[in-house]
Amino acid sequence: MREYDFHSIEPKWQDLWEAEKAYRTEDASDKPKLYCLDYFPYPSGDGLHVGHCRNYIPTDVISRYYRMKGFNVLHPMGWDAFGLPAENEAIRLKKSPREITRRNTANFKRQLKLLGTSYDWEREINSSDPEYYRWTQWFFLLLYKRGLAYEKESEQWWCPHCKTVLANEQAKDGKCWRCGTAVEKKQLKQWFFKITDYADRLADDLDTVDWPERIKIMQRNWIGKSVGAEVVFEIVSASDSSRHPVTVFTTRLDTIMGATFLVLAPEHPLVQEIVSDGQRADVETYIANAKTKTEIDRMSTEKEKTGVFTGAYAINPFSGEKVPVWIADYVLMGYGTGAIMAVPAHDSRDFVFAKKYGLPIRQVITWPGVTYEESVWNDLYSEHGSLVNSGRFDDLTTEAAFAAMIAEGQEKGVAKAETNYHMRDWLISRQRYWGAPIPMIHCPTCGTVPVPESQLPVLLPDVEGYEPSGTGESPLAGIKDWVETTCPVCGGPARRETDTMDGFACSSWYELRYTSPHDDKVPFDRAKVDYWLPVDLYVGGAEHAVMHLLYSRFWTKVMYDAGLIGFTEPFARLMNQGMLLSYDGQKMSKSRHNVITPDEVVEQYGADTLRLYELFMAPFEQEVAWSKEGISGAHRFVKRLWELGQRSIDASHGELRPARIPGFELHINKLTKKITEDVEKFKFNTAVAAFMEYFNFLSGIVRADETVLSTVEWQSGMHQLLVLLAPFAPHMTEELWQEYGGVGSIHRQPWPAWDDSKLVESEVEVAVQINGKVRGTMVVASDSNDDELEKLALRQDFVVKYTAGHIVKRVVVIKGKIVNIVVQ
RNA sequence: GCCGGGAUGGCGGAACUGGCAGACGCACGGGACUUAAAAUCCCGCGGUGGGAACACUGUGUGGGUUCAAUUCCCACUCCCGGCACCA
C-alpha cells in the first residue's frame, strides 16, 4: 500500500499532460462544442490567491466533465496585460512594463498549472503583444469608419492618483474604480466610442441571454433609458433683453402648465449671458462654490438643495407664462440638456427647492379620491392622473396630454419626443504609456486621419521614461521620434495621437481571438468563430457588471453590424462566483496580511484537496470565508479515499468473485445521476457531499466484511467512482487509474451513464404522521399502492396507540413518502 | 430613497414540484489505539425535560392557506450587494 504522496503525484501528471498536449483543442470535430471561458485575468504582481481559484477550479471541472461527455471543449487562457498596476510597478522598480508583465504572466501560468487546470496553452494570448493589439487598433479603426469613434473636448473624470481620465462607469461614487481616489473634473479633448447609439439594443438583447438576473438589472439601470420630451423655452436676458432658447428634457411634459420656474446647471453655458447685473455677484459666487465641491458632496442626496436666482425669466412655450430662471447644482450638466423645467407640485426635488426659496407651487394633476395639499410632499403627487389648471389640456389623462402636447409642440417647433439615457459614451483615451496606442494621426492640413490598416500595428515605442506627466498629456507626447510622423493622406509632417486606449478595449474582443490566436492576416478566422462562438459558459466575478460586460456586448454588436460575425451577444450563459473571504472574514488583501495563496495550500495539502475544498465549502455563487479546519477536512477525505483505492487495487490482483452487495447498484447509480446533474447546475458543493456520502457507504461495507474488496461488483463500483471523481480531483484519480492498469488517461474515459431502473429500491421507508406529526416509520414494498399503504399504516402499533378512542377522519397517502392520518 | 439577494444547529451549509428539517463537512464531547501526545479509527451531537422509552419545541418576527409549510400568500425586522438629485 502506497502513501498518498501528492508532492510527487501532482507535478508528475501535470508535466505529462503538458508534454502530451493532453488538453489541446481540435478546431474541427463532429462532436458538439462547448466554449467555457474565464474572465480575462489581469496578471498582477501579487499573483493568484485562493479566492481567484474559485473561478478557475469550477471551470476546470466543467471543462473536464464535458470532454468526458464527448464534447469538443474550448477552454483557453490569456492575459489582459495592459494596464496601470504593471506600469506603476515598472516605474517603482525602474523596469519596463513589458518585463514586469512577462514576469507576472509566467507566475500566473505557473500557479494555474499548480491547480491541475486543463487549459489549451497553445492558445495563450496577451493583449500587450503587438500581434494582439494590432487587431485592437484595427477594431478602433472599424469603429471610426462606422462613425462610432469621435474626439470631443469636454469636462471629464480625472483621477489625480492614476493621472488619467476615466470613463463614467469607472468613476464609482465619485471615486476611481481602481485606486479609490476621489475623482476631479478636467477639461480635455478625448476619444469616445459611441456606445449610446447601441443603448436600446444593449438593453433589449439582455432578454436573450442566460445571465444572473442581478447583472441584467444592473445593466438595465446603468443604461437608464428614459422616454420623455425636449421642450424649448425662451429666456429673456436680464441684462440686455436678448432672447436665448434653452432646451429642457422632461419625462412629464404633461405637467408643463405647472412649471413655475426653470433651473439651469451652474455650468450651463447660457448662464453668463442671461444673468442680471444685480444677481451677477451671487451667481458668480455660487458657481465658484459648486466648482470646489467634490463630486461626492455634490452627488449626495442627503445634502440640502441650494440655488440662486439669475434675475432672468423664461417664457413657457405652451402658456406664454413668464417664470424665473434659477441655477442649482441639483441639476447636472451631464444629463439631458443641463436644464429643467421645475414642476414643484409633482416632483419631490422641485418641491423641496420651491419650499425653500418660496417659489410658487401649482397643482396641474388630480387623482380620484386624493386631495392635494400644498404644504407637504406626498409621493402620490408624482403619479399619473388627469389634468387641471392646464387650460385647453384640462381633463385629459396624463398620457393623452403628453401626446397632445407633443403634437402641438412639434407643429410649433417648441417640443419633440426624446429619449435620454443614463449611460454616456465610452471615454477610451488614457494619458498613460502602457496601453494600445490610438491609431490616429493629426495633420495640420488634413485634420485627424486614421492610420492605414497596412501600417498597423502602431507600435508602442520602447523608451526609458514613461512616467505620467499629470498635465493631461500622455507620456508618449514627449517621445519626439515617435510622435513626429507623416500624414498618410498628404504626406506632409504630422503628429501621432499620443493617448492610449482604455484596457477595456482590449478585453472587448478577446473571446474571438482564442479561436485563431496566431492568425496574422485577420483578427479572427470567421469559420472558427462561427463554430465556437458565442461563449457557452462565461465565468467570473460580479464586479464587471457594467464595465467589461457592457463594452464587450457593444463591440459584438458593432461587429455584427459590420458583417464580421453572425451573432449579437458574445456570452450566452454567465455565472458569477461568490467572493472568498479570508479566515478572518475580511476581504483578502496584502495590507491586511491575510492573503492565502494556492502555493501554500498546495504545498501543505495538494491541489486535489484545494480543489475539493473550494468546490465543497459553499454554493458556487455564494460568498464564504476560508476555514483552516475546513481544508483539513477535505484533505482527510482525499486521504481516506486514496487508502480505500489502494486497498481495492491490492485486492484486484487476485481472483474476483461475484457477490451480491445490498444496495450497491442503487448507490452507484444514484451517485452517477447526482454528480451529472449537479455539475451541469454548478452545484459542486452538493456533488462533493455526494462523493463523501458514497464513500461512507463503501467504507461501512468494508468495515463489516473486508472480503468484499475482491468482488467483481466492488471493483467496478470503485472504477466508476474514480471516473466520476476525475474532473474534481484529476491527479489522484489519474494515479489510481494507472495503478489499476487503466488504459489511457482517466480524463479520456467516457462519462458514465446511470440506469434509471436501478434507482428503484424494492423497499422504502415511509413516515407515518398523525395529524401532521411524525409518530413513526414503516418499511414497505416500494410498489405498494395507496390502499395497501393506508391499511399497513393503520395496523402499526404506534398508530393504534394514537388513534385509540379517536375517529379517523381522513388518511392522506403520498406514495413512497408519507401517510398522514387525520383523527377527530 | 430605489432595485436586487439573503436570514436554517456552536460554524459552513443540505432539503426534488408543499411531504420524516438539519444530508455532507467542521468544531465539540465520549471511547479505542499509545508510556504519552499527535495522527488514525469508532460512537454521540438543534433546544428543553427524562436514566431510558419518549414528550414538547424548533428554519429572522407576526399572521394566513393546507391533512401537511424552510418551501405558497400577507405584513414586518435585520443583514449583504448595486444604483443614487437622471428631471
Side-chain angles (χ1 to χ4, degrees):
Chain A
M1 184 147 105
R2 287 175 56 212
E3 285 285 296
Y4 176 51
D5 181 9
F6 56 85
H7 280 121
S8 70
I9 293 170
E10 293 182 349
K12 180 179 84 183
W13 289 112
Q14 287 161 12
D15 292 345
L16 201 84
W17 294 332
E18 192 175 18
E20 290 183 342
K21 299 191 193 311
Y23 305 115
R24 180 187 210 159
T25 303
E26 300 301 321
D27 273 320
S29 168
D30 299 334
K31 299 172 179 176
K33 68 96 182 178
L34 183 98
Y35 189 174
C36 173
L37 184 64
D38 298 292
Y39 277 13
F40 205 26
Y42 177 78
S44 80
D46 300 334
L48 294 175
H49 59 60
V50 288
H52 300 114
C53 303
R54 263 194 109 188
N55 190 334
Y56 306 125
I57 293 168
T59 54
D60 191 62
V61 174
I62 291 281
S63 299
R64 288 178 181 277
Y65 164 77
Y66 276 102
R67 279 191 209 104
M68 292 170 82
K69 262 218 120 160
F71 280 67
N72 190 23
V73 174
L74 178 58
H75 185 42
M77 182 46 73
W79 317 108
D80 189 11
F82 272 139
L84 278 178
E87 188 175 348
N88 290 340
E89 199 185 355
I91 291 167
R92 194 164 47 83
L93 301 173
K94 302 216 185 311
K95 288 185 173 164
S96 87
R98 200 172 302 284
E99 201 180 320
I100 296 289
T101 300
R102 200 175 301 129
R103 193 196 66 193
N104 291 353
T105 54
N107 187 44
F108 262 61
K109 198 170 169 180
R110 179 191 62 76
Q111 287 183 303
L112 287 172
K113 197 181 142 186
L114 203 61
L115 300 174
T117 52
S118 59
Y119 295 109
D120 178 359
W121 286 109
E122 284 181 36
R123 292 173 187 261
E124 180 177 357
I125 58 174
N126 183 319
S127 67
S128 67
D129 185 339
E131 280 311 299
Y132 183 92
Y133 70 71
R134 166 189 181 175
W135 300 113
T136 306
Q137 293 173 335
W138 187 88
F139 282 115
F140 178 97
L141 295 178
L142 176 77
L143 269 86
Y144 180 78
K145 274 184 265 174
R146 299 184 68 79
L148 295 168
Y150 66 94
E151 231 182 343
K152 187 179 93 179
E153 167 129 11
S154 62
E155 282 221 312
Q156 288 308 331
W157 298 122
W158 171 265
C159 172
H161 180 257
C162 295
K163 296 192 170 75
T164 183
V165 290
L166 297 168
N168 229 20
E169 42 277 294
Q170 294 165 15
K172 303 209 158 191
D173 299 328
K175 293 181 204 138
C176 172
W177 74 287
R178 206 183 269 288
C179 65
T181 306
V183 292
E184 298 165 359
K185 284 258 163 166
K186 212 175 175 104
Q187 184 82 18
L188 284 169
K189 197 171 187 186
Q190 300 286 320
W191 282 95
F192 292 84
F193 285 150
K194 228 171 173 180
I195 192 171
T196 50
D197 270 15
Y198 284 74
D200 276 329
R201 285 164 70 186
L202 286 168
D204 295 345
D205 288 357
L206 285 171
D207 294 334
T208 68
V209 292
D210 179 11
W211 286 18
E213 205 50 40
R214 171 173 57 104
I215 301 285
K216 292 193 192 184
I217 288 166
M218 275 194 227
Q219 288 214 353
R220 277 199 198 95
N221 288 346
W222 186 259
I223 295 165
K225 186 175 178 173
S226 170
V227 179
E230 278 189 359
V231 191
V232 182
F233 282 65
E234 273 205 329
I235 300 180
V236 182
S237 170
S239 49
D240 60 7
S241 294
S242 57
R243 290 177 163 249
H244 303 269
V246 62
T247 307
V248 303
F249 175 74
T250 177
T251 53
R252 292 297 300 275
L253 183 60
D254 51 290
T255 63
I256 195 164
M257 298 309 208
T260 52
F261 57 104
L262 236 62
V263 188
L264 307 184
E267 303 90 341
H268 199 286
L270 222 51
V271 174
Q272 299 302 331
E273 305 187 32
I274 58 159
V275 65
S276 72
D277 294 337
Q279 290 297 100
R280 189 169 294 274
D282 283 357
V283 167
E284 295 292 351
T285 311
Y286 187 80
I287 294 172
N289 254 327
K291 271 199 179 140
T292 62
K293 274 185 200 163
T294 68
E295 287 303 320
I296 301 168
D297 289 343
R298 204 178 146 177
M299 287 191 307
S300 167
T301 49
E302 307 302 318
K303 189 196 59 138
E304 201 174 327
K305 289 184 178 32
T306 57
V308 182
F309 179 44
T310 62
Y313 289 83
I315 297 158
N316 184 325
F318 282 84
S319 65
E321 184 185 7
K322 265 177 79 179
V323 295
V325 180
W326 286 62
I327 60 168
D329 66 3
Y330 80 92
V331 174
L332 309 172
M333 196 57 223
Y335 183 77
T337 59
I340 63 158
M341 61 177 211
V343 185
H346 305 289
D347 180 283
S348 64
R349 297 153 303 180
D350 298 343
F351 179 84
V352 171
F353 194 80
K355 280 304 236 190
K356 177 165 176 184
Y357 293 104
L359 292 157
I361 298 168
R362 185 191 314 135
Q363 181 190 9
V364 289
I365 307 291
T366 55
W367 314 264
V370 177
T371 317
Y372 189 88
E373 215 186 312
E374 218 177 78
S375 54
V376 275
W377 177 255
N378 184 322
D379 284 339
L380 279 173
Y381 301 158
S382 56
E383 302 277 312
H384 286 241
S386 51
L387 274 68
V388 290
N389 302 327
S390 296
R392 60 198 179 281
F393 302 106
D394 275 357
D395 300 327
L396 291 176
T397 64
T398 49
E399 291 81 3
F402 192 99
M405 287 171 176
I406 286 286
E408 187 183 316
Q410 222 148 13
E411 198 181 310
K412 291 189 189 159
V414 294
K416 63 172 199 291
E418 182 67 43
T419 301
N420 253 310
Y421 300 91
H422 172 225
M423 183 173 70
R424 316 289 157 80
D425 277 343
W426 174 14
L427 194 174
I428 57 123
S429 306
R430 293 294 177 272
Q431 292 71 46
R432 295 290 300 239
Y433 168 76
W434 192 232
I438 292 174
M440 297 298 290
I441 290 170
H442 302 282
C443 170
T445 39
C446 308
T448 302
V449 296
V451 173
E453 274 177 34
S454 60
Q455 288 176 27
L456 295 182
V458 176
L459 285 173
L460 195 57
D462 275 322
V463 289
E464 291 293 310
Y466 36 77
E467 289 178 39
S469 61
T471 59
E473 203 174 44
S474 155
L476 289 173
I479 303 162
K480 218 179 144 204
D481 288 355
W482 185 82
V483 175
E484 289 177 359
T485 185
T486 49
C487 170
V489 179
C490 68
R495 290 175 60 83
R496 287 192 187 282
E497 168 62 54
T498 56
D499 282 352
T500 52
M501 269 186 262
D502 182 3
F504 283 112
C506 307
S507 55
S508 290
W509 71 282
Y510 80 109
E511 72 280 4
L512 300 166
R513 187 65 179 169
Y514 281 126
T515 60
S516 45
H518 310 298
D519 200 315
D520 58 2
K521 302 283 185 295
V522 286
F524 53 81
D525 181 323
R526 174 72 195 256
K528 289 176 181 169
V529 162
D530 283 347
Y531 173 69
W532 284 113
L533 273 285
V535 173
D536 296 284
L537 190 56
Y538 195 35
V539 181
E543 68 276 10
H544 285 294
V546 290
M547 295 195 282
H548 162 62
L549 287 172
L550 200 57
Y551 300 145
S552 216
R553 296 180 60 226
F554 161 54
W555 275 41
T556 301
K557 290 177 195 307
V558 174
M559 286 184 225
Y560 174 84
D561 289 351
L564 296 176
I565 53 174
F567 54 93
T568 54
E569 285 291 335
F571 312 117
R573 184 181 178 202
L574 176 73
M575 300 289 284
N576 297 127
Q577 82 274 15
M579 209 199 303
L580 178 51
L581 304 172
S582 193
Y583 41 79
D584 54 5
Q586 300 282 308
K587 237 173 139 163
M588 276 187 219
S589 78
K590 238 175 155 179
S591 57
R592 288 198 185 90
H593 305 290
N594 61 1
V595 175
I596 304 157
T597 65
D599 307 65
E600 59 191 282
V601 178
V602 169
E603 172 57 29
Q604 197 179 350
Y605 299 107
D608 285 339
T609 295
L610 173 63
R611 291 171 67 110
L612 284 170
Y613 177 54
E614 292 219 5
L615 294 165
F616 178 65
M617 63 199 314
F620 173 77
E621 304 88 346
Q622 196 173 301
E623 179 175 284
V624 67
W626 183 266
S627 153
K628 292 172 182 176
E629 293 80 21
I631 181 114
S632 65
H635 191 58
R636 260 198 291 273
F637 171 63
V638 171
K639 275 198 309 198
R640 284 180 191 146
L641 202 63
W642 171 266
E643 275 155 30
L644 191 64
Q646 289 293 319
R647 291 173 72 186
S648 302
I649 289 163
D650 290 346
S652 71
H653 299 315
E655 189 86 357
L656 297 185
R657 59 185 170 81
R660 289 221 54 81
I661 309 167
F664 200 84
E665 281 190 319
L666 171 76
H667 275 88
I668 191 68
N669 277 284
K670 250 168 93 174
L671 178 71
T672 307
K673 181 170 193 247
K674 177 78 177 155
I675 302 303
T676 307
E677 291 176 349
D678 278 359
V679 169
E680 292 186 6
K681 284 188 275 190
F682 263 65
K683 293 176 74 176
F684 304 107
N685 58 327
T686 49
V688 175
F691 280 124
M692 291 172 168
E693 236 173 313
Y694 183 67
F695 172 83
N696 291 343
F697 165 72
L698 290 185
S699 46
I701 297 174
V702 184
R703 201 181 310 133
D705 174 14
E706 207 175 337
T707 65
V708 77
L709 287 168
S710 52
T711 63
V712 181
E713 274 153 315
W714 177 275
Q715 291 294 334
S716 79
M718 203 64 206
H719 270 83
Q720 189 153 332
L721 171 62
L722 290 182
V723 174
L724 291 171
L725 190 64
F728 297 77
H731 310 91
M732 71 165 299
T733 50
E734 182 81 298
E735 181 74 14
L736 291 170
W737 181 255
Q738 299 306 324
E739 282 194 46
Y740 252 125
V743 181
S745 170
I746 193 170
H747 302 295
R748 285 178 209 262
Q749 292 302 306
W751 188 255
W754 70 88
D755 180 348
D756 276 322
S757 71
K758 299 278 164 56
L759 292 173
V760 189
E761 297 173 64
S762 57
E763 289 190 322
V764 284
E765 196 185 55
V766 169
V768 181
Q769 299 180 328
I770 314 286
N771 285 348
K773 274 187 188 177
V774 180
R775 294 300 179 181
T777 59
M778 56 186 191
V779 176
V780 299
S782 55
D783 54 1
S784 316
N785 62 32
D786 289 5
D787 268 2
E788 290 167 339
L789 283 171
E790 179 173 339
K791 279 182 196 137
L792 259 161
L794 290 168
R795 226 181 288 147
Q796 302 292 315
D797 289 348
F798 59 86
V799 174
V800 174
K801 184 178 118 196
Y802 277 100
T803 51
H806 296 278
I807 302 151
V808 175
K809 273 172 63 182
R810 186 177 163 190
V811 179
V812 181
V813 180
I814 306 295
K815 231 176 138 185
K817 297 241 161 101
I818 223 159
V819 177
N820 189 14
I821 299 158
V822 186
V823 297
Q824 204 145 63

